[in-house]
Amino acid sequence: MAEAGLIPVPSASEIQPMLETMLLSPTVQRSDVEKCCKEAIRYGFAAVCVSLSWVETAAAFLKGADVLTVAAIDFPFGADPFPFKVSAASWAAEHGAQELNVAVSHTAILSGDKAAIREEFQAIRRATPDIQVKAVLETSRLSDAEVIMAVRCAEISRFEFVAGGTGFFGSTSLLSASMLYSAAPSSMKIAAAGEYKSLKQIAPIAAVGVKRIFSANPVALLGLPPLADETES
């Protein structure tokens, strides 16, 4: 494994394009969205994820940039009735989101209700056929069999990503990331989330096949210099 030196560990410059800024605090202001978008553009991050109320703002700041606007759907619990989630996903796609992070209903997963999971996933896919969708699972709260079942449902529904957590309930472990990579088809990408504090923590996770890493502060995570305060007054 990467920690044992058996897999090449990615460098900071290789990890930068994997990072997705998670700007989901209840106290977010317009200046915070602008700052995170500018940092993502400056440092070549993959995306900025915001709540629905900030999708249009983030999309405006990122217009023309190689950074995706991502909408968080039903974060962090995934507990809304699925028609609400479908409506939210559709609204986000219509208002500038280029990708969705959809928190999955763990009630359905824990009860083994594959039909309900597929129904939700497929309804979201039908509502947003032209943008990428991530199924976000709290792998730390699920058994391997439950995770595999959810991954299979995401595969059937043609989701592009499966993520190992929202970041609200602990970090995606190296073991969980490896298991997701093994369970997912080659066409599906893996994302990881958590309160990672350093390159040393995330490099092994990236090395086992993760393509996107959620972080509330990717600039600090990689020890990059913060941008000067140039936000609009």
Side-chain angles (χ1 to χ4, degrees):
M1 297 298 292
E3 290 180 324
L6 302 180
I7 299 175
V9 176
S11 65
S13 61
E14 291 171 318
I15 285 176
Q16 277 175 232
M18 302 180 189
L19 291 170
E20 180 172 323
T21 304
M22 303 296 280
L23 189 61
L24 300 174
S25 165
T27 60
V28 169
Q29 300 295 306
R30 179 184 173 85
S31 59
D32 299 316
V33 179
E34 182 179 6
K35 180 173 181 287
C36 284
C37 290
K38 286 185 174 180
E39 288 175 342
I41 294 169
R42 168 66 178 83
Y43 291 118
F45 299 154
V48 175
C49 178
V50 294
S51 60
L52 290 178
S53 58
W54 291 112
V55 165
E56 292 173 303
T57 304
F61 284 131
L62 294 173
K63 185 176 181 180
D66 291 328
V67 179
L68 297 174
T69 301
V70 183
I73 306 297
D74 202 11
F75 263 49
F77 301 113
D80 285 347
F82 92 81
F84 288 18
K85 296 170 83 165
V86 174
S87 178
S90 180
W91 186 94
E94 291 170 0
H95 290 81
Q98 299 162 294
E99 196 168 281
L100 304 177
N101 289 348
V102 180
V104 176
S105 169
H106 287 71
T107 299
I109 295 174
L110 292 169
S111 64
D113 193 346
K114 291 186 286 188
I117 300 167
R118 288 198 300 268
E119 182 180 13
E120 177 179 301
F121 285 2
Q122 290 172 0
I124 290 170
R125 180 76 287 172
R126 287 193 298 271
T128 59
D130 301 321
I131 65 176
Q132 295 197 117
V133 183
K134 303 189 196 77
V136 184
L137 314 171
E138 296 297 345
T139 51
S140 63
R141 308 296 177 92
L142 301 171
S143 69
D144 288 358
E146 289 162 344
V147 171
I148 291 169
M149 177 183 68
V151 171
R152 291 288 177 262
C153 290
E155 177 186 2
I156 291 168
S157 304
R158 295 179 291 109
F159 281 16
E160 288 79 10
F161 275 91
V162 62
T166 60
F168 284 75
F169 307 107
S171 301
T172 307
S173 68
L174 181 60
L175 181 61
S176 291
S178 300
M179 192 265 290
L180 283 173
Y181 184 77
S182 297
S186 59
S187 59
M188 183 176 287
K189 292 165 278 191
I190 308 302
E195 297 180 357
Y196 304 119
K197 302 297 185 185
S198 68
L199 176 63
K200 184 178 180 180
Q201 277 186 298
I202 61 174
I205 290 173
V208 297
V210 167
K211 298 301 183 184
R212 191 74 63 83
I213 299 170
F214 301 165
S215 173
N217 193 346
V219 172
L221 175 63
L222 294 185
L224 300 168
L227 300 185
D229 187 4
E230 299 174 349
T231 56
E232 297 173 357
S233 57

